[in-house]
Amino acid sequence: MKKRFPHRDTAEPITTAELWRQWESRSLMLSHTDTSKLNLTRKADVYDWLYSIGIQPDRYMVRKATDYNHIEIRFSHAEDLAFIKMSDLLPEQKG
């Protein structure tokens, strides 16, 4: 049977895993050294840090590596990543 109101069909919501893949190009890796210098021991600390510098919670995702050696942050907007890199908010990196 044909649907009576096809204009009312809604698209399936995008999953977190799909967004994580889509935002791969806007990724920031924080090493164990970076997180230690910034006092970011938990994911909640990362959320608080990002919020304190003015990045809203719906504009990023955070994942801890399975080996706990780094934290990866992926941003929905490239300007948020650029802001962090240009503002000198991260500890100095060698190399």
Side-chain angles (χ1 to χ4, degrees):
M1 180 176 224
K2 196 172 187 180
K3 291 186 178 184
R4 293 181 69 189
F5 303 104
H7 64 279
R8 292 186 182 171
D9 289 343
T10 57
E12 291 292 318
I14 297 176
T15 65
T16 304
E18 289 173 28
L19 287 175
W20 185 256
R21 282 190 295 276
Q22 288 177 5
W23 297 357
E24 184 176 11
S25 64
R26 297 177 298 276
S27 174
L28 176 66
M29 299 291 270
L30 298 176
S31 69
H32 181 70
T33 305
D34 295 335
T35 57
S36 295
K37 288 181 181 178
L38 293 168
N39 295 323
L40 306 175
T41 56
R42 302 171 300 141
K43 281 174 53 174
D45 296 333
V46 176
Y47 300 143
D48 291 341
W49 174 67
L50 290 169
Y51 188 76
S52 72
I53 61 173
I55 300 176
Q56 296 301 311
D58 62 342
R59 295 175 63 103
Y60 62 86
M61 287 187 277
V62 177
R63 286 193 182 167
K64 255 187 174 176
T66 54
D67 58 2
Y68 297 103
N69 283 333
H70 68 273
I71 293 176
E72 184 173 2
I73 307 169
R74 293 192 181 175
F75 298 92
S76 62
H77 297 82
E79 56 267 14
D80 293 331
L81 177 59
F83 170 73
I84 290 174
K85 288 183 174 183
M86 294 178 70
S87 297
D88 218 17
L89 294 168
L90 296 176
E92 230 178 271
Q93 302 201 359
K94 294 181 181 179

mmCIF file of all heavy atoms in Angstrom, residues 1-13:
data_model
loop_
_atom_site.group_PDB
_atom_site.id
_atom_site.type_symbol
_atom_site.label_atom_id
_atom_site.label_comp_id
_atom_site.label_asym_id
_atom_site.label_seq_id
_atom_site.Cartn_x
_atom_site.Cartn_y
_atom_site.Cartn_z
ATOM 1 N N MET A 1 0.832 -1.171 0.000
ATOM 2 C CA MET A 1 0.000 0.000 0.000
ATOM 3 C C MET A 1 0.883 1.242 0.000
ATOM 4 O O MET A 1 1.878 1.324 0.702
ATOM 5 C CB MET A 1 -0.895 -0.032 1.237
ATOM 6 C CG MET A 1 -1.805 1.137 1.358
ATOM 7 S SD MET A 1 -2.875 0.941 2.783
ATOM 8 C CE MET A 1 -4.379 1.458 2.050
ATOM 9 N N LYS A 2 0.503 2.214 -0.765
ATOM 10 C CA LYS A 2 1.251 3.449 -0.889
ATOM 11 C C LYS A 2 0.964 4.359 0.311
ATOM 12 O O LYS A 2 -0.155 4.413 0.804
ATOM 13 C CB LYS A 2 0.823 4.147 -2.184
ATOM 14 C CG LYS A 2 1.748 5.213 -2.625
ATOM 15 C CD LYS A 2 1.340 5.690 -3.996
ATOM 16 C CE LYS A 2 2.377 6.646 -4.514
ATOM 17 N NZ LYS A 2 2.050 7.147 -5.829
ATOM 18 N N LYS A 3 1.982 5.059 0.751
ATOM 19 C CA LYS A 3 1.802 5.978 1.875
ATOM 20 C C LYS A 3 0.977 7.171 1.430
ATOM 21 O O LYS A 3 1.158 7.704 0.346
ATOM 22 C CB LYS A 3 3.149 6.445 2.402
ATOM 23 C CG LYS A 3 3.922 5.351 3.075
ATOM 24 C CD LYS A 3 5.173 5.908 3.702
ATOM 25 C CE LYS A 3 5.908 4.798 4.409
ATOM 26 N NZ LYS A 3 7.077 5.275 5.106
ATOM 27 N N ARG A 4 0.100 7.589 2.305
ATOM 28 C CA ARG A 4 -0.790 8.699 1.962
ATOM 29 C C ARG A 4 -0.089 10.044 2.044
ATOM 30 O O ARG A 4 -0.412 10.960 1.305
ATOM 31 C CB ARG A 4 -1.993 8.701 2.899
ATOM 32 C CG ARG A 4 -2.879 7.493 2.686
ATOM 33 C CD ARG A 4 -4.050 7.520 3.595
ATOM 34 N NE ARG A 4 -4.939 8.609 3.198
ATOM 35 C CZ ARG A 4 -5.978 8.994 3.915
ATOM 36 N NH1 ARG A 4 -6.246 8.402 5.037
ATOM 37 N NH2 ARG A 4 -6.732 9.980 3.504
ATOM 38 N N PHE A 5 0.875 10.190 2.939
ATOM 39 C CA PHE A 5 1.535 11.478 3.148
ATOM 40 C C PHE A 5 3.059 11.308 3.075
ATOM 41 O O PHE A 5 3.742 11.360 4.095
ATOM 42 C CB PHE A 5 1.135 12.081 4.502
ATOM 43 C CG PHE A 5 -0.342 12.252 4.661
ATOM 44 C CD1 PHE A 5 -1.065 11.381 5.456
ATOM 45 C CD2 PHE A 5 -1.002 13.274 4.009
ATOM 46 C CE1 PHE A 5 -2.432 11.540 5.603
ATOM 47 C CE2 PHE A 5 -2.365 13.435 4.153
ATOM 48 C CZ PHE A 5 -3.092 12.564 4.947
ATOM 49 N N PRO A 6 3.594 11.133 1.861
ATOM 50 C CA PRO A 6 5.041 10.900 1.763
ATOM 51 C C PRO A 6 5.868 12.095 2.229
ATOM 52 O O PRO A 6 7.013 11.929 2.628
ATOM 53 C CB PRO A 6 5.262 10.629 0.281
ATOM 54 C CG PRO A 6 4.091 11.220 -0.408
ATOM 55 C CD PRO A 6 2.953 11.149 0.570
ATOM 56 N N HIS A 7 5.301 13.294 2.202
ATOM 57 C CA HIS A 7 6.041 14.473 2.648
ATOM 58 C C HIS A 7 6.267 14.462 4.155
ATOM 59 O O HIS A 7 7.072 15.219 4.665
ATOM 60 C CB HIS A 7 5.309 15.753 2.229
ATOM 61 C CG HIS A 7 3.972 15.903 2.888
ATOM 62 N ND1 HIS A 7 2.855 15.247 2.428
ATOM 63 C CD2 HIS A 7 3.579 16.627 3.957
ATOM 64 C CE1 HIS A 7 1.819 15.565 3.195
ATOM 65 N NE2 HIS A 7 2.235 16.399 4.131
ATOM 66 N N ARG A 8 5.570 13.617 4.879
ATOM 67 C CA ARG A 8 5.726 13.543 6.325
ATOM 68 C C ARG A 8 6.814 12.562 6.754
ATOM 69 O O ARG A 8 7.112 12.443 7.927
ATOM 70 C CB ARG A 8 4.414 13.148 6.987
ATOM 71 C CG ARG A 8 3.362 14.216 6.876
ATOM 72 C CD ARG A 8 2.148 13.858 7.663
ATOM 73 N NE ARG A 8 1.132 14.876 7.496
ATOM 74 C CZ ARG A 8 -0.096 14.750 7.918
ATOM 75 N NH1 ARG A 8 -0.478 13.647 8.531
ATOM 76 N NH2 ARG A 8 -0.966 15.717 7.733
ATOM 77 N N ASP A 9 7.370 11.853 5.798
ATOM 78 C CA ASP A 9 8.452 10.935 6.133
ATOM 79 C C ASP A 9 9.649 11.731 6.640
ATOM 80 O O ASP A 9 10.025 12.745 6.066
ATOM 81 C CB ASP A 9 8.881 10.115 4.919
ATOM 82 C CG ASP A 9 7.824 9.090 4.520
ATOM 83 O OD1 ASP A 9 6.935 8.807 5.347
ATOM 84 O OD2 ASP A 9 7.905 8.576 3.391
ATOM 85 N N THR A 10 10.233 11.267 7.697
ATOM 86 C CA THR A 10 11.407 11.944 8.234
ATOM 87 C C THR A 10 12.630 11.068 8.012
ATOM 88 O O THR A 10 12.547 9.848 8.026
ATOM 89 C CB THR A 10 11.245 12.220 9.741
ATOM 90 O OG1 THR A 10 11.009 10.987 10.415
ATOM 91 C CG2 THR A 10 10.097 13.179 9.998
ATOM 92 N N ALA A 11 13.738 11.710 7.824
ATOM 93 C CA ALA A 11 14.982 10.983 7.624
ATOM 94 C C ALA A 11 15.426 10.365 8.947
ATOM 95 O O ALA A 11 15.142 10.884 10.027
ATOM 96 C CB ALA A 11 16.054 11.926 7.112
ATOM 97 N N GLU A 12 16.122 9.264 8.826
ATOM 98 C CA GLU A 12 16.654 8.607 10.020
ATOM 99 C C GLU A 12 17.707 9.517 10.647
ATOM 100 O O GLU A 12 18.502 10.140 9.938
ATOM 101 C CB GLU A 12 17.291 7.269 9.637
ATOM 102 C CG GLU A 12 16.292 6.218 9.191
ATOM 103 C CD GLU A 12 15.399 5.761 10.332
ATOM 104 O OE1 GLU A 12 15.897 5.564 11.449
ATOM 105 O OE2 GLU A 12 14.183 5.625 10.086
ATOM 106 N N PRO A 13 17.738 9.602 11.959
ATOM 107 C CA PRO A 13 18.765 10.438 12.599
ATOM 108 C C PRO A 13 20.160 9.859 12.354
ATOM 109 O O PRO A 13 20.335 8.649 12.257
ATOM 110 C CB PRO A 13 18.396 10.386 14.076
ATOM 111 C CG PRO A 13 17.493 9.226 14.239
ATOM 112 C CD PRO A 13 16.861 8.974 12.907
#
